[in-house]
Every structure is written in C-alpha cells, then in structure tokens.
Amino acid sequence: MKRSYSLRLRLTLIILLPLLLVAGLAGVWQLNNARSTASDVFDRSLQSAALAVTNDVALSGGDALVANTRKILSDTSGGRVYYHVYAPDGVIVAGYATPPVGIPTSADGDLSPVYFNGEYLGREVRGYRMRTRMQVDGFSGVFTTTVWQDVSIRAAFVQDLTLRSLSVISSIILSLALIVWFGIRIGLWPLSDLQQAIDLRSGEDLKPIRRPVPVEVQGIVQTLNRLLGQVTEVMATQNEFISNAAHQLRNPIAGVLALAEAVRSAKSEDAMRERAEDLVNAVKDTSLLAQKLLTYERAKAIDQTSLKEAFSVNKLLDPLVSEYRNRFPPDVEIIWTPAPEDVRITGDRTMIREAVSNLIDNAFRHGGPKLDTITVGFERLGPDLSITIADNGVGLTPDQIRTARMRFGQVSENSGGSGLGLPIVERVAERHGGRLELKDQNPGLVVRMIISVGTCAAASQPADFTPTQLSAAHPE
Ligand SMILES: Nc1ncnc2c1ncn2[C@@H]1O[C@H](COP(=O)(O)OP(=O)(O)O)[C@@H](O)[C@H]1O
Ligand SMILES: [Mg+2]
C-alpha cells in the first residue's frame, strides 16, 4: 500500500526545508562577509599601529614608545602586534630583533607601504611595512617600520563572528519549527473536530454534516454528504422493498396455507385432487412473485461499470421470439424484424432478455381478446437504440400507463402477474443508460426499451433504423 505521510509532517517539511536552505545560504554569505570585514579591520589596525610606532620613534629617537602606542601594540583587535624599525643604514632603532620571513623587497626610492603574509617564529603572520623619510637624533634618511600579527587571531575572530551568526540563525529556525509544528496542529483543528463529530454518530444517523468547516475541507464534506444522501436513499428503497415484499407475499402465502389445509381436510379423494390442483397453481403464482421480486432487485443492482459483455441483440432475441411463437396460440402472430445489421450491445444479456421477455409476455397476457399481432423490432432514436415491442390489443390510457409503471401497479384485473414486469424493464433500461417509454397507439400499446448508444458497440451500429418495421404490424 502506498504510504501517506501526515499533513502535519508534510506541511512542516514543506515550510522548513526551504527555510533551512535559505538559512544555509545566509550562513555561507555571513562567513564570507565576516572574513572580508575581519581582513579589512585588522589591516587598518596594523596600519594605525605602524603609524603610531613611526611617530613615537621620530619623536623619541627610538628610545621609548608612549603609553598609548604600547597599548595599541599589546592588544590590537584582540592580540599582540610585533614591530620593528630600522634606520637607513640597516641598524635596528626599535622593536623586535628578528623580523618575519616573507617581506617583499622594494626598490630604494619606493616609499609606498605594503601588506604581506609571512612567517614569524614558525607562525603564520600578516604584516604591514611602511617607509618614511625622517630625521632621528640628527640622522636623516628613509626609516622602515614593520608591524605584524598572528593570522590565528583573525581566524579566531572570524570563527567567533560566524558562530554567533549561526547560533542566531539556528535559534530562529528552531523557534520557527516549533511554531510551525504546533501552529499546524492548531490550524488543522477543524479536521479533528470534524472527525470527532463523525465518530460520535451512530450507524443510523446518516444526516448530512452541517457544521461550518474551512473552505479547503468543504469539498470533502460535500462529497461525504452526497454519499450519505445516496446511502440513505439506498437504505430507504431497501426498507421499502422489504416491507413491500412482506406485504405482497403475505396474502399469497396465507392463500397457499389455506389451500394446504383444505387438501388435508378434504372429504373425498376427488375433492382432495381438485384442491391439490388449486394449491399447485397458488404455489406457482407465489413462486413467480418471489422470483419477480428478486429479479427486480437484481435489475436495480446492475452495476454500470461491470457492463463489459458485448453481445449480438439479434442472436439474443431470435431464440426468445421462437420460444414465444411456440408457446402462443396460432391466432396470435409475432412479427420479428431482426436488426438489419448485427447490432452488438455491451450490457447484461440475461437482464435484457428478461426485460424483453416481460414485454412480449405483457402484450400477450394483457392485450385482450382482439389481440392478434405482436411486433418485436428495433428503432434508432437519435444516438440511442430502442428495442420496441408493439401490440394491437386493448392498449392503455395515459392514467393507466402511470399506474402500470408503478411498482406492483396493475391495471387489468385478475390477469395474474406481479405488477413488477414494467418496473423491471425500466430499471434494466436505466442501468444501460436509457429509459422506458409506453405509448398508446390505438389499438394497442407500443413499449420502447431504450438503451444508450454508449453501451452499444459503435462499429456495428445499424446505419438507420426506422419505425416502419413497426407500422407494418398495424395495417389500417
Ligand atoms: N401490452 C399491454 N397492453 C395492455 N396492458 C398492459 C400491457 N403491458 C402492461 N399492461 C398493464 O400494465 C400492468 C403492469 O404490467 P407489469 O408491470 O408487467 O405487471 P404484470 O404483468 O405482472 O401485471 C399490467 O398489469 C397491465 O395491466
Ligand atoms: Mg408483466
């Protein structure tokens, strides 16, 4: 199963990862910044130290440095500065005897100062050399002042500055992480509130969810409400079916029981035989009713997504018509016009056969004494296909049609049946994306079971069906 991470974790990561990246970049920038600032500041203080030393040497003849200069030298930017001044003849005037190694040499007349990186007593140092024309103790010429300081002092300064920045950045990130982690929990509260509300419901309580929810969740709640509505509807129809079935089966079963009693208490063998005959018929009727009830439920339950089987309607209906021809008396003719091309339908073949069989049976059973022709054929209704069954019997008025379409609705009295035939046909048509149409055509009734073209195999649809096949059954 695909793993799904919690919303809280997702949101925290989505917010924090880019922040961490930005913080990383800021850290690198800050490190470079600290390096260049440090080198600037330290170079400047080396320069000041060199100037102060030169000044003192000029004033005191190299004998003493003033207190201020000593202070500068002992602690410039956090570390000692070494110095060294020598006269034009190369004699040391003041400072440390050994200068650092690595001082660049410069031409005699060149008085411009230089910064350099060198080595002093095995340590890496940064230094500044300046050359000044001056007079000390009556001795005049170009005096050279060199100051230098350990590089490690700068490095320590940069490290310190960087660490401070990093600690500020990381405490900001940490507090942000905490704010996001707990903030999201508070932000997602409406979701847990909704879940609690749903948890509290019982299985019976399928009312739509009414509580106000954030706009992001409204879609889910709407879908859930729609689903709840559908479940309620399904449960209602099921309950209705159960009570209808119980009601419809109660009388026939009571009849069967009464007949069985009558068989038992029959006085003579002839009477018993007669009652047993009635009993068999009553049981047949009851079984038919139960069967129709189940078929009706099956028709309702056809799942459109599982309608994958493609079959030829001609091949399905041909044997069915033959079966009825054999069953009907010779004065009732069935005119069967197969589709001109072999139409294939994707659907539930058993239920379509059952539906058409109901319609042919209806025409014969309810057509009345004048019925002599039943027509079975096809019509093309726009993009849809109609399996059309017409008869020239008594027909139905619009009011009677309304009754006939209802569950258990029957118009003609004592015709047997269950009143479920047409509802079964209607459900089957609907489940195949179509509908049921009943029309009185005086004489007789035309019933169209329409199936959506989407469920028919497109390549083999007939080019054009016309209702002419039907009118042939009813010559004026
Ligand atoms: N072709 C028809 N001609 C006249 N009446 C019909 C025809 N088809 C159906 N009916 C009427 O519609 C009613 C409902 O039909 P149906 O749902 O098939 O139930 P059933 O056939 O079990 O009575 C029938 O009882 C009958 O009165
Ligand atoms: Mg019927």
Side-chain angles (χ1 to χ4, degrees), residues 338-358:
E341 279 178 52
D342 190 19
V343 191
R344 293 181 75 77
I345 292 178
T346 306
D348 186 326
R349 58 187 296 156
T350 319
M351 291 312 286
I352 288 185
R353 189 183 190 280
E354 170 75 26
V356 176
S357 153
N358 275 340

Side-chain angles (χ1 to χ4, degrees), residues 112-352:
S112 47
V114 283
Y115 286 101
F116 62 89
N117 293 313
E119 206 184 290
Y120 178 65
L121 302 178
R123 302 194 305 268
E124 216 185 315
V125 293
R126 170 84 170 161
Y128 178 74
R129 156 162 289 195
M130 61 182 281
R131 308 179 84 200
T132 327
R133 191 176 295 282
M134 55 186 185
Q135 194 171 32
V136 176
D137 287 342
F139 194 74
S140 84
V142 175
F143 284 72
T144 305
T145 310
T146 311
V147 291
W148 64 96
Q149 191 178 34
D150 284 7
V151 166
S152 62
I153 297 172
R154 297 178 176 220
F157 175 81
V158 171
Q159 199 182 17
D160 186 49
L161 206 64
T162 312
L163 279 180
R164 268 190 237 184
S165 313
L166 283 184
S167 70
V168 171
I169 292 176
S170 35
S171 43
I172 291 177
I173 293 281
L174 192 72
S175 18
L176 263 175
L178 289 174
I179 292 172
V180 168
W181 183 251
F182 289 104
I184 287 172
R185 189 183 194 162
I186 298 170
L188 293 181
W189 169 246
L191 281 187
S192 21
D193 184 45
L194 182 67
Q195 191 215 335
Q196 277 169 14
I198 296 174
D199 271 354
L200 286 177
R201 288 182 172 222
S202 70
E204 321 282 75
D205 186 2
L206 296 175
K207 285 197 305 289
I209 297 162
R210 294 259 176 258
R211 67 181 47 224
V213 287
V215 67
E216 291 85 354
V217 191
Q218 274 168 14
I220 298 177
V221 171
Q222 270 165 15
T223 312
L224 195 64
N225 279 345
R226 205 178 48 238
L227 205 67
L228 285 173
Q230 283 167 354
V231 173
T232 314
E233 227 169 80
V234 168
M235 280 173 68
T237 31
Q238 258 170 17
N239 286 343
E240 197 188 338
F241 169 76
I242 291 169
S243 60
N244 268 332
H247 182 76
Q248 293 294 322
L249 287 171
R250 195 165 40 219
N251 290 343
I253 289 173
V256 166
L257 201 65
L259 281 168
E261 289 289 352
V263 171
R264 191 163 66 180
S265 56
K267 298 264 169 5
S268 67
E269 198 169 315
D270 279 350
M272 186 190 281
R273 224 181 277 281
E274 203 177 305
R275 285 169 193 179
E277 191 67 29
D278 291 346
L279 176 61
V280 168
N281 287 337
V283 170
K284 269 187 193 158
D285 283 353
T286 312
S287 136
L288 193 81
L289 175 61
Q291 206 179 316
K292 285 277 180 208
L293 277 168
L294 291 175
T295 311
Y296 179 65
E297 280 309 293
R298 252 186 72 198
K300 279 204 304 187
I302 296 173
D303 182 1
Q304 226 157 12
T305 54
S306 65
L307 297 179
K308 297 224 169 69
E309 192 193 4
F311 53 89
S312 147
V313 257
N314 280 344
K315 284 198 185 115
L316 179 73
L317 299 189
D318 212 40
L320 181 72
V321 172
S322 308
E323 198 184 307
Y324 274 104
R325 274 195 182 127
N326 293 335
R327 208 191 287 175
F328 289 167
D331 57 336
V332 176
E333 188 192 1
I334 303 187
I335 300 176
W336 157 234
T337 319
E341 279 178 52
D342 190 19
V343 191
R344 293 181 75 77
I345 292 178
T346 306
D348 186 326
R349 58 187 296 156
T350 319
M351 291 312 286
I352 288 185

Side-chain angles (χ1 to χ4, degrees), residues 358-359 361-363 365-367 391 394-396 404 406 409-412 415-423 445 447:
N358 275 340
L359 296 179
D361 183 68
N362 273 357
R365 197 191 283 262
H366 308 299
D391 64 69
V394 291
L396 290 169
M406 289 189 318
Q410 290 181 296
V411 179
S412 40
S415 60
S418 59
L420 282 173
L422 290 177
L445 191 72
V447 186

Side-chain angles (χ1 to χ4, degrees), residues 362-380:
N362 273 357
F364 176 70
R365 197 191 283 262
H366 308 299
K370 289 198 179 138
L371 172 92
D372 58 23
T373 314
I374 298 171
T375 311
V376 181
F378 298 95
E379 285 174 279
R380 188 66 193 266

